[in-house]
Amino acid sequence: MQMTTRLLVIKAGDRDNLPRTKGAALSGLTPGVNEQRAFTLVELLVVIAIIAILAAILMPVLHAAQEKAKQSTCLNNMKQLELCYNMYVQDNNDNLPLNFTSTALTTPGNWIQGQCNQQDGTSGSGDVADYNIRTSALYPYNQQAKIYVCPSVTRLIGPVDGSQASLARQKSGITVPINALVPQVRSCSINYSMGGNSAQSSAGPWNITAQGEGPWNSYGKMSSILATRVSDEMVFAQEAESSLSDGCFAMFPMDYASPINSWFNEPGNRHDNGENFSFADGHVEYWHWVNQDIASLQNASADSTGQGDGGQGTSLTANAPYTDLYRVEAAAATIP
Protein backbone atom coordinates (compact mmCIF):
# COMPACT_ATOMS: atom_id res chain seq x y z
CA MET A 1 0.00 0.00 0.00
CA GLN A 2 1.34 3.36 -0.94
CA MET A 3 1.08 6.12 1.70
CA THR A 4 0.67 9.68 0.65
CA THR A 5 1.94 12.51 2.83
CA ARG A 6 -0.23 15.58 2.82
CA LEU A 7 1.20 18.91 3.69
CA LEU A 8 -1.00 21.42 5.40
CA VAL A 9 -0.20 24.83 4.04
CA ILE A 10 -1.73 27.69 5.93
CA LYS A 11 -1.31 31.24 4.90
CA ALA A 12 -0.13 33.74 7.49
CA GLY A 13 -3.47 35.49 7.69
CA ASP A 14 -5.51 32.28 7.93
CA ARG A 15 -4.36 31.05 11.31
CA ASP A 16 -6.53 33.51 13.12
CA ASN A 17 -9.57 31.97 11.40
CA LEU A 18 -8.87 28.45 12.67
CA PRO A 19 -10.59 27.04 15.73
CA ARG A 20 -8.92 28.14 18.95
CA THR A 21 -7.45 24.71 19.73
CA LYS A 22 -5.87 24.28 16.31
CA GLY A 23 -4.47 27.82 16.34
CA ALA A 24 -2.92 27.27 19.73
CA ALA A 25 -1.39 24.00 18.66
CA LEU A 26 0.17 25.51 15.60
CA SER A 27 1.70 28.31 17.71
CA GLY A 28 3.26 25.84 20.14
CA LEU A 29 1.01 26.72 23.08
CA THR A 30 -1.03 24.38 25.20
CA PRO A 31 -4.71 25.01 24.61
CA GLY A 32 -6.38 26.87 27.47
CA VAL A 33 -3.12 28.13 28.98
CA ASN A 34 -2.28 31.89 28.72
CA GLU A 35 1.27 32.91 27.86
CA GLN A 36 2.99 34.75 30.81
CA ARG A 37 6.52 36.10 30.76
CA ALA A 38 8.19 37.79 33.77
CA PHE A 39 11.03 40.32 33.80
CA THR A 40 14.46 38.82 34.07
CA LEU A 41 16.76 40.14 36.78
CA VAL A 42 18.93 41.87 34.20
CA GLU A 43 15.93 43.64 32.67
CA LEU A 44 14.74 44.76 36.11
CA LEU A 45 18.16 46.16 36.98
CA VAL A 46 18.27 48.03 33.68
CA VAL A 47 14.89 49.65 34.40
CA ILE A 48 16.01 50.64 37.90
CA ALA A 49 19.23 52.10 36.52
CA ILE A 50 17.32 54.15 33.94
CA ILE A 51 14.97 55.50 36.63
CA ALA A 52 17.94 56.42 38.85
CA ILE A 53 19.65 58.25 36.00
CA LEU A 54 16.48 60.19 35.18
CA ALA A 55 16.04 61.09 38.85
CA ALA A 56 19.64 62.29 39.06
CA ILE A 57 19.05 64.49 36.04
CA LEU A 58 15.66 65.85 37.11
CA MET A 59 16.23 66.47 40.85
CA PRO A 60 18.70 69.37 40.42
CA VAL A 61 16.41 70.89 37.82
CA LEU A 62 13.38 70.59 40.10
CA HIS A 63 15.37 72.01 43.04
CA ALA A 64 16.55 74.93 40.93
CA ALA A 65 12.97 75.60 39.81
CA GLN A 66 11.79 75.53 43.43
CA GLU A 67 14.49 77.97 44.51
CA LYS A 68 13.71 80.23 41.56
CA ALA A 69 10.08 80.30 42.67
CA LYS A 70 11.16 81.29 46.20
CA GLN A 71 13.38 84.02 44.77
CA SER A 72 10.44 85.39 42.77
CA THR A 73 8.20 85.28 45.85
CA CYS A 74 10.83 87.11 47.88
CA LEU A 75 11.18 89.74 45.15
CA ASN A 76 7.41 90.22 45.12
CA ASN A 77 7.43 90.58 48.93
CA MET A 78 10.04 93.34 48.61
CA LYS A 79 7.87 95.07 46.01
CA GLN A 80 4.87 94.96 48.36
CA LEU A 81 6.95 96.39 51.22
CA GLU A 82 8.25 99.18 49.01
CA LEU A 83 4.67 100.06 48.00
CA CYS A 84 3.75 100.22 51.70
CA TYR A 85 6.75 102.46 52.33
CA ASN A 86 5.83 104.90 49.57
CA MET A 87 2.16 105.00 50.61
CA TYR A 88 3.23 105.84 54.16
CA VAL A 89 5.31 108.74 52.82
CA GLN A 90 2.36 110.06 50.82
CA ASP A 91 0.10 109.92 53.88
CA ASN A 92 2.62 111.58 56.22
CA ASN A 93 3.61 114.84 54.59
CA ASP A 94 6.61 113.36 52.74
CA ASN A 95 8.23 112.12 55.97
CA LEU A 96 10.00 108.78 55.90
CA PRO A 97 9.03 106.26 58.59
CA LEU A 98 11.45 106.09 61.49
CA ASN A 99 14.23 103.54 61.37
CA PHE A 100 16.85 102.14 63.74
CA THR A 101 14.41 101.80 66.62
CA SER A 102 17.03 101.45 69.35
CA THR A 103 15.21 100.61 72.60
CA ALA A 104 12.07 102.62 71.87
CA LEU A 105 9.57 99.76 71.85
CA THR A 106 6.45 101.80 71.19
CA THR A 107 7.67 104.96 69.45
CA PRO A 108 4.98 105.98 66.92
CA GLY A 109 6.09 105.99 63.31
CA ASN A 110 8.67 103.21 63.48
CA TRP A 111 8.60 101.05 60.35
CA ILE A 112 9.09 98.06 62.65
CA GLN A 113 8.35 97.98 66.37
CA GLY A 114 10.60 96.62 69.07
CA GLN A 115 14.32 96.14 69.28
CA CYS A 116 13.90 93.13 66.98
CA ASN A 117 17.09 91.44 68.07
CA GLN A 118 16.86 87.92 66.71
CA GLN A 119 20.46 86.97 67.39
CA ASP A 120 19.46 84.54 70.12
CA GLY A 121 15.74 85.12 70.50
CA THR A 122 16.07 86.52 74.04
CA SER A 123 16.19 90.25 73.22
CA GLY A 124 13.22 91.85 71.54
CA SER A 125 10.98 89.04 72.77
CA GLY A 126 8.23 89.97 70.34
CA ASP A 127 10.17 88.33 67.54
CA VAL A 128 8.96 84.89 68.58
CA ALA A 129 5.68 86.02 67.00
CA ASP A 130 4.67 88.67 64.48
CA TYR A 131 3.05 91.29 66.74
CA ASN A 132 5.99 93.70 66.32
CA ILE A 133 5.14 93.60 62.62
CA ARG A 134 1.41 94.00 63.20
CA THR A 135 1.93 97.11 65.34
CA SER A 136 4.38 98.79 62.95
CA ALA A 137 3.79 101.89 60.84
CA LEU A 138 3.73 100.00 57.52
CA TYR A 139 1.44 97.12 58.46
CA PRO A 140 -1.87 98.95 57.81
CA TYR A 141 -0.94 99.26 54.13
CA ASN A 142 -0.58 95.49 53.65
CA GLN A 143 -1.81 93.29 56.47
CA GLN A 144 0.18 90.22 55.47
CA ALA A 145 2.96 89.53 57.96
CA LYS A 146 4.47 86.90 55.67
CA ILE A 147 5.81 89.55 53.27
CA TYR A 148 8.38 90.50 55.95
CA VAL A 149 10.23 87.20 55.72
CA CYS A 150 11.92 85.51 52.78
CA PRO A 151 10.40 82.09 51.98
CA SER A 152 13.91 80.62 51.86
CA VAL A 153 14.59 81.45 55.52
CA THR A 154 14.88 78.26 57.56
CA ARG A 155 16.43 79.61 60.74
CA LEU A 156 14.76 78.90 64.07
CA ILE A 157 15.18 81.25 67.03
CA GLY A 158 14.94 80.51 70.70
CA PRO A 159 14.75 78.84 73.05
CA VAL A 160 11.62 80.67 74.16
CA ASP A 161 11.28 81.40 77.86
CA GLY A 162 8.06 81.72 79.82
CA SER A 163 7.78 85.50 79.52
CA GLN A 164 8.24 85.38 75.75
CA ALA A 165 5.60 82.69 75.37
CA SER A 166 3.20 84.63 77.60
CA LEU A 167 3.76 87.88 75.71
CA ALA A 168 3.29 86.16 72.36
CA ARG A 169 0.02 84.67 73.58
CA GLN A 170 -1.14 87.99 74.99
CA LYS A 171 -0.43 90.14 71.94
CA SER A 172 -0.74 87.74 69.02
CA GLY A 173 -3.05 85.07 70.35
CA ILE A 174 -0.43 82.49 69.38
CA THR A 175 0.53 79.71 71.74
CA VAL A 176 4.32 79.34 71.77
CA PRO A 177 5.71 76.35 73.69
CA ILE A 178 8.27 77.20 76.36
CA ASN A 179 11.87 76.22 75.46
CA ALA A 180 10.81 75.82 71.84
CA LEU A 181 12.60 76.95 68.70
CA VAL A 182 10.31 79.02 66.52
CA PRO A 183 10.60 80.21 62.89
CA GLN A 184 12.11 83.61 62.28
CA VAL A 185 9.34 86.02 61.32
CA ARG A 186 11.38 88.77 59.62
CA SER A 187 14.40 88.78 57.34
CA CYS A 188 14.35 92.33 55.92
CA SER A 189 15.73 95.61 57.22
CA ILE A 190 15.77 99.20 55.96
CA ASN A 191 18.87 101.07 54.85
CA TYR A 192 20.10 102.95 57.93
CA SER A 193 20.35 106.26 56.07
CA MET A 194 16.59 106.27 55.52
CA GLY A 195 14.60 107.99 58.23
CA GLY A 196 16.67 108.20 61.40
CA ASN A 197 15.07 107.47 64.76
CA SER A 198 13.12 109.35 67.40
CA ALA A 199 16.29 110.63 69.08
CA GLN A 200 17.66 112.18 65.90
CA SER A 201 16.72 115.00 63.62
CA SER A 202 14.58 113.81 60.74
CA ALA A 203 16.44 116.18 58.44
CA GLY A 204 19.86 114.54 58.84
CA PRO A 205 22.68 114.04 58.43
CA TRP A 206 22.92 111.83 61.48
CA ASN A 207 25.62 112.57 63.99
CA ILE A 208 27.26 109.17 63.48
CA THR A 209 30.91 108.46 62.89
CA ALA A 210 32.83 105.20 62.60
CA GLN A 211 36.48 104.51 61.89
CA GLY A 212 37.03 108.27 61.58
CA GLU A 213 34.31 108.64 58.92
CA GLY A 214 31.22 110.83 59.18
CA PRO A 215 28.81 112.36 59.62
CA TRP A 216 27.00 110.10 57.18
CA ASN A 217 24.43 111.33 54.74
CA SER A 218 20.84 110.49 55.64
CA TYR A 219 17.33 111.41 54.60
CA GLY A 220 14.24 112.48 56.52
CA LYS A 221 11.95 113.26 53.58
CA MET A 222 11.39 111.59 50.25
CA SER A 223 11.79 114.91 48.44
CA SER A 224 15.45 115.07 49.50
CA ILE A 225 16.02 111.71 47.81
CA LEU A 226 14.07 112.66 44.70
CA ALA A 227 16.42 115.59 44.23
CA THR A 228 19.48 113.36 44.14
CA ARG A 229 19.52 109.62 43.56
CA VAL A 230 16.03 108.17 43.92
CA SER A 231 16.65 105.14 41.70
CA ASP A 232 19.97 104.31 43.40
CA GLU A 233 19.00 104.72 47.07
CA MET A 234 18.35 101.37 48.70
CA VAL A 235 15.35 101.08 51.01
CA PHE A 236 14.74 97.42 51.94
CA ALA A 237 17.52 94.86 52.12
CA GLN A 238 17.29 91.16 52.82
CA GLU A 239 19.74 90.81 55.69
CA ALA A 240 21.73 87.78 56.83
CA GLU A 241 19.54 85.81 59.21
CA SER A 242 21.89 85.77 62.17
CA SER A 243 23.02 89.39 61.91
CA LEU A 244 19.45 90.69 61.85
CA SER A 245 18.92 92.75 64.98
CA ASP A 246 17.12 96.11 64.89
CA GLY A 247 15.18 97.33 61.86
CA CYS A 248 18.25 98.96 60.36
CA PHE A 249 20.56 97.58 57.68
CA ALA A 250 23.77 99.42 58.54
CA MET A 251 26.59 99.91 56.07
CA PHE A 252 29.65 102.11 56.20
CA PRO A 253 29.30 104.99 53.75
CA MET A 254 30.88 104.83 50.34
CA ASP A 255 33.98 106.99 50.64
CA TYR A 256 35.46 107.11 47.15
CA ALA A 257 38.64 108.79 48.39
CA SER A 258 39.29 106.27 51.16
CA PRO A 259 37.03 103.20 50.91
CA ILE A 260 36.09 101.28 54.07
CA ASN A 261 36.65 97.63 53.33
CA SER A 262 34.42 96.19 56.05
CA TRP A 263 30.87 94.95 56.28
CA PHE A 264 28.86 96.60 59.05
CA ASN A 265 25.78 94.39 58.63
CA GLU A 266 25.71 91.64 56.05
CA PRO A 267 23.20 91.09 53.27
CA GLY A 268 21.61 87.69 52.85
CA ASN A 269 22.76 84.99 50.48
CA ARG A 270 19.72 82.80 49.92
CA HIS A 271 19.00 82.85 46.20
CA ASP A 272 21.73 81.16 44.18
CA ASN A 273 24.49 83.32 45.65
CA GLY A 274 22.52 86.56 45.52
CA GLU A 275 19.85 88.62 47.25
CA ASN A 276 16.92 91.01 46.69
CA PHE A 277 16.75 94.77 47.35
CA SER A 278 14.21 97.56 46.87
CA PHE A 279 14.86 101.20 45.97
CA ALA A 280 13.29 104.57 46.70
CA ASP A 281 11.71 104.97 43.27
CA GLY A 282 9.70 101.79 43.88
CA HIS A 283 11.60 99.24 41.81
CA VAL A 284 13.17 96.03 43.10
CA GLU A 285 16.28 94.19 41.97
CA TYR A 286 18.01 90.86 42.41
CA TRP A 287 21.75 91.25 42.89
CA HIS A 288 23.97 88.28 42.13
CA TRP A 289 27.18 88.29 44.14
CA VAL A 290 30.09 88.26 41.72
CA ASN A 291 32.73 86.98 44.13
CA GLN A 292 32.84 84.71 47.18
CA ASP A 293 33.10 87.45 49.78
CA ILE A 294 29.61 87.20 51.25
CA ALA A 295 29.41 83.44 51.00
CA SER A 296 32.70 83.01 52.85
CA LEU A 297 31.69 85.42 55.62
CA GLN A 298 28.37 83.72 56.20
CA ASN A 299 29.62 80.17 55.99
CA ALA A 300 32.13 80.99 58.70
CA SER A 301 29.54 82.33 61.15
CA ALA A 302 26.68 79.89 61.53
CA ASP A 303 24.49 80.39 64.58
CA SER A 304 24.37 78.19 67.66
CA THR A 305 21.63 75.99 66.23
CA GLY A 306 23.65 75.32 63.08
CA GLN A 307 21.04 77.03 60.95
CA GLY A 308 20.75 80.28 59.07
CA ASP A 309 23.03 81.99 56.62
CA GLY A 310 25.46 83.48 59.10
CA GLY A 311 26.24 87.01 60.11
CA GLN A 312 28.07 88.35 63.14
CA GLY A 313 26.28 91.66 63.60
CA THR A 314 29.67 93.38 63.86
CA SER A 315 32.12 94.91 61.45
CA LEU A 316 33.94 92.24 59.49
CA THR A 317 36.84 92.83 57.16
CA ALA A 318 35.80 91.99 53.63
CA ASN A 319 37.74 89.82 51.23
CA ALA A 320 39.24 91.33 48.09
CA PRO A 321 38.05 91.98 45.46
CA TYR A 322 35.51 94.35 46.99
CA THR A 323 33.03 94.48 44.10
CA ASP A 324 30.00 93.36 46.12
CA LEU A 325 30.90 95.44 49.18
CA TYR A 326 31.31 98.67 47.22
CA ARG A 327 28.07 98.07 45.33
CA VAL A 328 26.09 97.74 48.57
CA GLU A 329 27.91 100.65 50.23
CA ALA A 330 27.16 102.92 47.28
CA ALA A 331 23.44 102.08 47.49
CA ALA A 332 23.30 102.74 51.23
CA ALA A 333 24.99 106.05 52.06
CA THR A 334 27.76 108.36 50.96
CA ILE A 335 29.94 110.88 52.72
CA PRO A 336 28.19 114.31 52.33
Side-chain angles (χ1 to χ4, degrees):
M1 177 183 292
Q2 184 178 5
M3 298 180 63
T4 303
T5 302
R6 299 179 61 189
L7 296 176
L8 181 62
V9 180
I10 301 175
K11 295 181 180 180
D14 294 336
R15 191 173 65 178
D16 296 336
N17 298 324
L18 293 175
R20 183 171 63 86
T21 54
K22 291 184 178 181
L26 289 171
S27 62
L29 298 176
T30 302
V33 179
N34 293 328
E35 181 183 14
Q36 293 183 351
R37 183 175 180 274
F39 279 111
T40 66
L41 179 59
V42 172
E43 290 171 334
L44 184 60
L45 291 176
V46 169
V47 171
I48 293 174
I50 293 174
I51 293 174
I53 292 172
L54 290 175
I57 294 173
L58 291 177
M59 288 303 292
V61 175
L62 294 175
H63 178 73
Q66 184 182 44
E67 289 303 314
K68 189 67 176 178
K70 290 181 179 180
Q71 176 188 329
S72 298
T73 300
C74 178
L75 200 64
N76 181 65
N77 289 347
M78 298 288 276
K79 181 66 175 179
Q80 297 303 313
L81 287 170
E82 186 61 35
L83 289 173
C84 294
Y85 192 87
N86 289 337
M87 285 189 287
Y88 175 92
V89 171
Q90 293 173 10
D91 289 345
N92 288 272
N93 196 31
D94 198 47
N95 290 308
L96 304 180
L98 296 176
N99 191 12
F100 197 82
T101 56
S102 186
T103 56
L105 298 180
T106 57
T107 302
N110 283 329
W111 87 268
I112 189 71
Q113 292 292 349
Q115 200 168 3
C116 299
N117 188 338
Q118 303 190 53
Q119 182 71 24
D120 57 9
T122 57
S123 299
S125 58
D127 295 321
V128 302
D130 59 11
Y131 58 79
N132 275 347
I133 292 173
R134 295 177 182 274
T135 56
S136 67
L138 301 186
Y139 186 74
Y141 297 96
N142 187 325
Q143 298 183 16
Q144 296 290 327
K146 64 182 181 181
I147 66 175
Y148 289 78
V149 62
C150 173
S152 293
V153 169
T154 59
R155 185 172 188 262
L156 302 177
I157 59 174
V160 177
D161 61 25
S163 62
Q164 291 174 305
S166 175
L167 192 58
R169 175 66 179 172
Q170 175 186 349
K171 294 191 174 183
S172 294
I174 299 173
T175 300
V176 179
I178 298 175
N179 297 325
L181 294 174
V182 296
Q184 191 166 352
V185 297
R186 178 174 65 88
S187 60
C188 59
S189 300
I190 287 182
N191 170 11
Y192 79 105
S193 64
M194 304 289 284
N197 66 28
S198 58
Q200 297 165 331
S201 169
S202 62
W206 300 6
N207 187 22
I208 295 178
T209 60
Q211 296 186 2
E213 301 285 354
W216 300 342
N217 205 7
S218 61
Y219 304 95
K221 290 181 175 290
M222 182 63 75
S223 56
S224 61
I225 305 172
L226 295 174
T228 55
R229 43 190 297 239
V230 62
S231 64
D232 298 326
E233 186 70 27
M234 178 198 305
V235 179
F236 285 95
Q238 285 290 336
E239 190 172 346
E241 294 168 25
S242 297
S243 74
L244 191 73
S245 54
D246 49 39
C248 164
F249 178 66
M251 289 296 299
F252 291 114
M254 184 69 241
D255 186 344
Y256 295 96
S258 180
I260 303 175
N261 299 325
S262 296
W263 293 99
F264 199 124
N265 291 150
E266 299 165 23
N269 184 24
R270 289 181 282 266
H271 304 301
D272 190 24
N273 199 32
E275 201 48 87
N276 296 320
F277 299 89
S278 77
F279 296 84
D281 66 345
H283 84 280
V284 293
E285 292 183 12
Y286 167 76
W287 284 6
H288 183 75
W289 307 128
V290 299
N291 54 51
Q292 295 301 311
D293 184 36
I294 294 174
S296 63
L297 287 176
Q298 295 178 355
N299 290 337
S301 53
D303 63 25
S304 59
T305 65
Q307 302 180 69
D309 62 352
Q312 298 277 4
T314 58
S315 303
L316 296 175
T317 301
N319 301 318
Y322 306 111
T323 308
D324 294 327
L325 174 67
Y326 292 164
R327 186 180 188 186
V328 177
E329 284 183 346
T334 58
I335 297 294

